[in-house]
């Protein structure tokens, strides 16, 4: 496994893979790899094929953070991340620092102006501009044919799909289902920052969404989910919304597939989760098995 830290090194390392027949598949990450990421790596290998190249980027992208405390506290266990990539059969890991990714006087950003208005976009101004900009740069630097993202960040995936469509980016977007702990909590690098009491409380998020999504009325769904989540004195709801699965606009009726999504704060730690709702019935995406 090759580990490189600059665009020039990445280009050179990719030349070694240029003769291979398979596809080049990128998994963009911010590190602190957990079993959910390992599913992305597995999916990338399947998509690349044995002769293809799996590239993982590990970069805590400063321009997508709206709070400097969150950026500073983001875990960066580089050694164990590299060991996990090696064990997963990754070919190439790209670990740039901020100076390797951004010119000090950079003045061009990628902005998605529709799907990024609500949900996490409303609560985190500029977040999705930062995501789109870094993802497009990673696509260009790696020259990947496909890239794998986790469905947990469903708004992010929708926005990246829109960017690829609108800018004719020749990269196939592949999606992996949310991987959950045995108590239902969606896996996230941020879970590491919860105290033991917060961690014990956090499964209520998915429990609340899953139970509410079984109801058949928009107002009832929102009220039930809010009541269950807000019953915890330990958290603060950032948003809780039922939106159209395609347009991400809040719905007033369940005529089309919708997404019940929330973001909550445990202290400084912001967690997100969602479930897909179809005409009042919950569709649980096939859970990826947590490796033993
Ligand atoms: O989902 C993430 O980890 C990040 O938003 C991404 C896609 C790696 C861009 O920094």
């Amino acid at each position: 496994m090759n580990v490189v830290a600059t665009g020039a090194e990445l280009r050179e390392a990719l030349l070694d893979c240029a003769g291979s027949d398979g596809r080049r598949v990128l998994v963009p990450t911010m590190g602190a790899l957990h079993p959910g990421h390992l599913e992305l790596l597995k999916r990338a290998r399947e998509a690349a094929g044995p002769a293809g190249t799996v590239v993982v980027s590990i970069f805590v992208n400063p321009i997508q953070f709206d709070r400097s405390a969150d950026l500073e506290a983001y875990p960066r266990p580089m050694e164990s991340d590299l060991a996990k990539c090696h064990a997963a059969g990754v070919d190439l890991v790209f670990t740039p620092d901020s100076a390797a990714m951004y010119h000090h006087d950079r003045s061009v950003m990628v902005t998605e102006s529709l799907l990024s208005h609500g949900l996490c976009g409303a609560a985190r101004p500029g977040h999705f501009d930062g995501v789109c900009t870094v993802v497009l740069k990673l696509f260009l630097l790696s020259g990947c044919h496909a890239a794998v993202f986790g469905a947990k960040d469903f708004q992010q995936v929708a926005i990246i799909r829109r960017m690829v469509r609108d800018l004719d980016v020749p990269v196939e977007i592949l999606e992996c289902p949310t991987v959950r702990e045995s108590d239902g909590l969606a896996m996230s690098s941020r879970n590491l920052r919860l105290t033991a009491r917060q961690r014990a409380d956090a499964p209520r998020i998915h429990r609340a969404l899953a139970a509410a999504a079984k109801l058949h009325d928009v107002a009832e769904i929102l009220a039930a989910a809010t009541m269950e989540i807000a019953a915890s004195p330990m958290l603060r709801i950032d948003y809780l919304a039922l939106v159209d699965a395609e347009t991400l606009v809040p719905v007033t009726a369940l005529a089309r597939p919708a997404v019940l999504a929330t973001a909550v704060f445990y202290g400084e730690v912001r967690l997100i989760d969602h479930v897909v709702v179809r005409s009042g019935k919950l569709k649980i995406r096939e859970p990826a098995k947590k490796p033993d």
Side-chain angles (χ1 to χ4, degrees), residues 28-30 61 64 134-135 149 153 156:
T29 80
M30 297 207 298
N61 176 32
Q64 72 184 71
V134 80
V135 167
F149 294 88
D153 300 300
Q156 170 171 280

Side-chain angles (χ1 to χ4, degrees), residues 10 14 24 26-28 57 101 132-149 160-161 163-164 169-174:
L10 178 62
L14 287 168
R24 186 179 300 158
L26 172 72
V27 183
S57 61
M101 282 300 279
C132 285
T133 302
V134 80
V135 167
L136 185 60
K137 281 172 72 77
L138 291 168
F139 285 177
L140 293 169
L141 285 163
S142 67
C144 61
H145 303 103
V148 189
F149 294 88
I160 290 168
R161 284 189 189 285
M163 172 181 81
V164 162
V169 182
V171 174
E172 184 188 359
I173 303 303
L174 305 170

